[in-house]
Amino acid sequence: MNGGDEGAESAAQASPPQPLEWKFSQVFGERTAGEEVQEVDIISAIEFDKTGDHLATGDRGGRVVLFERTDTKDHGGSRRDLERMDYSTSRHPEFRYKTEFQSHEPEFDYLKSLEIEEKINKIRWCQTANGALFLLSTNDKTIKFWKVQEKKVKKIADMNVDPSKAVGNGNVASSSNNVSPKPYLANGGSPSKEFSFPPGGIPSLRLPTVVTSNETSLVARCRRVYAHAHDYHINSISNNSDGETFISADDLRINLWNLEISNQSFNIVDVKPANMEDLTEVITSAEFHPTHCNMLAYSSSKGSIRLIDLRQSALCDSHAILFEEQEAPGSRSFFTEIIASISDIKFAKDGRHILSRDYMTLKLWDINMDSGPVATFQVHEYLRPKLCDLYENDSIFDKFECCLSGDGLRVATGSYSNLFRVFGCAPGSTEATTLEASKNPMRRQVQTPSRPSRSLSSITRVVRRESVAGSDVPGVDTNGNSFDFTTKLLHLAWHPTENSIACAAANSLYMYYA
């Protein structure tokens, strides 16, 4: 999609890539039939690191769980080295549990009489250094910078005490733990049955020494806490390509931080009006450009995306480029603004395109073309007749995330009934796949669509949004299955270099490859 690799681009334009056949890879935290999901275990954030060798998830209980890739380690060397050697892995990507730590705890703001829940809103990986992993995690109010590192376990050796009669880190296994009173020797010794001085005493006193064993344990340490900078709930954090700074965004403001400085941030966007009654839109998501450290984009509840340049001014209230789609005449209704609100934006790896997700659609924007999206993918068009019901049960406010493949040829987003959809966005592509977060992802597929025009999955490669007819049966999705608003797939992430997707269905993490 970028002009960097002209040969590959012209080939892609000549013939769109074949649709991918997705297969189940792994599941972590799978529920048994009838098992009740605990609220604190529901996954609320997923993120691959830049290499794709590590995956982090955050949950509503404030925990961060790390997974590491194993199928490349088994062959020795890093994945980059294997690719350099033109080594092709026949096995699918495999991850294993690495470690977990409690990132956030529930708090209470006494000044505002407000409970701050521990739920992890976003996780972002930072640059690795000296074999240690670094990441940022945030709840509604506080961002934390974590360092996860393997440390060698230290043990105590050379004790006077017989090791067979010692426990733990060299504590004498005696009855001294009992609370009943007993006679004591001078200098605090205790006559016990398990340990007694040999006749004639101990010939020499050996001080215990600490030795480093070959065993290692993973230690997560909070390096910095970035707090008290947001009056409203934080919805986004994003690393800068300079490796030194990051942004955090709430409903009305975006702040710029230096990773090394936790007590000071700079407010770079402020949309708060002098009179709050004049407030017409809020910030819903923000992300730095993947390569230009001076550019970032943020989306709003009115369905617009603003690209700003930090070189223009210290306070970037005036945008460099505004991306929005013009409303079709006569299409306005009570729900128009609600469903236009963008819940997530992502830059493509090349930085040329921005993917946005609103309630009904996925839109792909070219940053060099502000007249409208270059492609619109219908996700929830079949729900349009049910918007009133969705408003009643608050489902219309669900915030679905979106992601792009590393090569920029495909996009993905979640839906209800634990479904997610993958669309091809290369010119001429008609790829539109609906998958279920289960061990059989393709079971929801229509094998022989008799009327493809009725399929919700058809994509509209036009600037203006077009309606696609959904199912006429109420409560039934495009594939003839009843949809369930209580099971929704909000969070998913695409591996940065391979066709592999990780997605969260309640407390379960499902992984697929193609």
Side-chain angles (χ1 to χ4, degrees), residues 301-513:
S301 57
K302 277 194 167 179
S304 60
I305 301 170
R306 291 172 173 84
L307 194 68
I308 60 175
D309 192 333
L310 297 174
R311 297 171 299 186
Q312 286 185 337
S313 64
L315 188 63
C316 302
D317 286 345
S318 58
H319 52 266
I321 309 174
L322 173 68
F323 303 97
E324 62 181 351
E325 190 172 19
Q326 297 304 314
E327 233 176 77
S331 65
R332 190 164 185 81
S333 72
F334 172 77
F335 304 109
T336 301
E337 279 198 16
I338 301 174
I339 61 174
S341 177
I342 294 173
S343 55
D344 190 27
I345 59 168
K346 290 283 193 321
F347 270 101
K349 201 174 183 180
D350 59 11
R352 171 74 182 269
H353 293 81
I354 298 173
L355 181 68
S356 69
R357 170 71 205 261
D358 57 45
Y359 190 72
M360 304 299 278
T361 63
L362 267 178
K363 293 189 176 83
L364 192 66
W365 308 77
D366 186 330
I367 65 170
N368 294 340
M369 191 178 93
D370 60 0
S371 57
V374 292
T376 299
F377 310 94
Q378 302 293 344
V379 181
H380 280 164
E381 190 63 31
Y382 63 95
L383 294 178
R384 197 173 286 277
K386 299 186 73 66
L387 290 178
C388 197
D389 296 338
L390 294 163
Y391 181 77
E392 291 286 327
N393 64 21
D394 283 347
S395 294
I396 201 168
F397 302 107
D398 287 335
K399 293 175 170 52
F400 292 93
E401 292 179 3
C402 58
C403 58
L404 297 99
S405 60
D407 56 15
L409 296 178
R410 293 173 181 87
V411 295
T413 191
S415 181
Y416 293 106
S417 304
N418 282 342
L419 300 177
F420 64 101
R421 296 192 163 95
V422 179
F423 300 97
C425 56
S429 173
T430 56
E431 180 177 355
T433 312
T434 302
L435 302 152
E436 183 184 42
S438 68
K439 286 187 174 179
N440 182 11
M442 305 296 283
R443 78 184 180 103
R444 292 277 188 141
Q445 289 296 299
V446 176
Q447 299 303 321
T448 52
S450 55
R451 294 185 62 187
S453 61
R454 289 174 64 85
S455 169
L456 233 198
S457 313
S458 62
I459 59 175
T460 55
R461 301 205 59 82
V462 289
V463 172
R464 300 295 290 268
R465 180 193 303 163
E466 290 183 6
S467 293
V468 178
S471 173
D472 298 330
V473 184
V476 173
D477 68 12
T478 47
N479 292 332
N481 301 296
S482 60
F483 44 76
D484 179 5
F485 296 127
T486 59
T487 55
K488 43 200 167 198
L489 200 149
L490 301 176
H491 312 286
L492 76 172
W494 201 302
H495 191 284
T497 57
E498 297 176 12
N499 287 322
S500 175
I501 291 178
C503 56
N507 65 331
S508 304
L509 176 68
Y510 286 91
M511 307 192 74
Y512 303 94
Y513 72 100

Side-chain angles (χ1 to χ4, degrees), residues 155-406:
K155 293 186 175 179
I156 296 173
D158 289 338
M159 292 282 288
N160 279 87
V161 181
D162 182 356
S164 64
K165 296 177 180 175
V167 293
N169 286 332
N171 296 322
V172 178
S174 70
S175 58
S176 58
N177 291 332
N178 297 337
V179 291
S180 56
K182 55 187 182 299
Y184 286 91
L185 297 179
N187 296 330
S190 169
S192 66
K193 292 178 183 176
E194 289 89 350
F195 175 73
S196 58
F197 287 100
I202 296 174
S204 63
L205 178 64
R206 292 199 306 275
L207 290 174
T209 57
V210 178
V211 294
T212 305
S213 70
N214 290 326
E215 294 177 39
T216 59
S217 69
L218 279 162
V219 179
R221 219 157 51 87
C222 183
R223 296 290 304 274
R224 281 176 195 85
V225 177
Y226 313 91
H228 313 301
H230 288 278
D231 290 330
Y232 302 91
H233 290 177
I234 298 171
N235 55 47
S236 305
I237 51 175
S238 179
N239 307 72
N240 198 345
S241 58
D242 62 11
E244 294 180 6
T245 55
F246 71 94
I247 53 168
S248 58
D250 65 20
D251 291 343
L252 299 180
R253 294 189 177 97
I254 300 176
N255 293 333
L256 177 68
W257 302 82
N258 189 301
L259 280 167
E260 302 295 321
I261 303 166
S262 60
N263 60 355
Q264 173 181 271
S265 67
F266 296 97
N267 180 225
I268 54 174
V269 175
D270 188 349
V271 299
K272 184 178 181 180
N275 182 1
M276 283 295 279
E277 290 180 3
D278 299 331
L279 183 68
T280 57
E281 62 182 332
V282 294
I283 298 166
T284 56
S285 182
E287 184 165 86
F288 261 120
H289 190 282
T291 53
H292 299 328
C293 62
N294 55 287
M295 289 174 68
L296 64 99
Y298 70 90
S299 59
S300 84
S301 57
K302 277 194 167 179
S304 60
I305 301 170
R306 291 172 173 84
L307 194 68
I308 60 175
D309 192 333
L310 297 174
R311 297 171 299 186
Q312 286 185 337
S313 64
L315 188 63
C316 302
D317 286 345
S318 58
H319 52 266
I321 309 174
L322 173 68
F323 303 97
E324 62 181 351
E325 190 172 19
Q326 297 304 314
E327 233 176 77
S331 65
R332 190 164 185 81
S333 72
F334 172 77
F335 304 109
T336 301
E337 279 198 16
I338 301 174
I339 61 174
S341 177
I342 294 173
S343 55
D344 190 27
I345 59 168
K346 290 283 193 321
F347 270 101
K349 201 174 183 180
D350 59 11
R352 171 74 182 269
H353 293 81
I354 298 173
L355 181 68
S356 69
R357 170 71 205 261
D358 57 45
Y359 190 72
M360 304 299 278
T361 63
L362 267 178
K363 293 189 176 83
L364 192 66
W365 308 77
D366 186 330
I367 65 170
N368 294 340
M369 191 178 93
D370 60 0
S371 57
V374 292
T376 299
F377 310 94
Q378 302 293 344
V379 181
H380 280 164
E381 190 63 31
Y382 63 95
L383 294 178
R384 197 173 286 277
K386 299 186 73 66
L387 290 178
C388 197
D389 296 338
L390 294 163
Y391 181 77
E392 291 286 327
N393 64 21
D394 283 347
S395 294
I396 201 168
F397 302 107
D398 287 335
K399 293 175 170 52
F400 292 93
E401 292 179 3
C402 58
C403 58
L404 297 99
S405 60

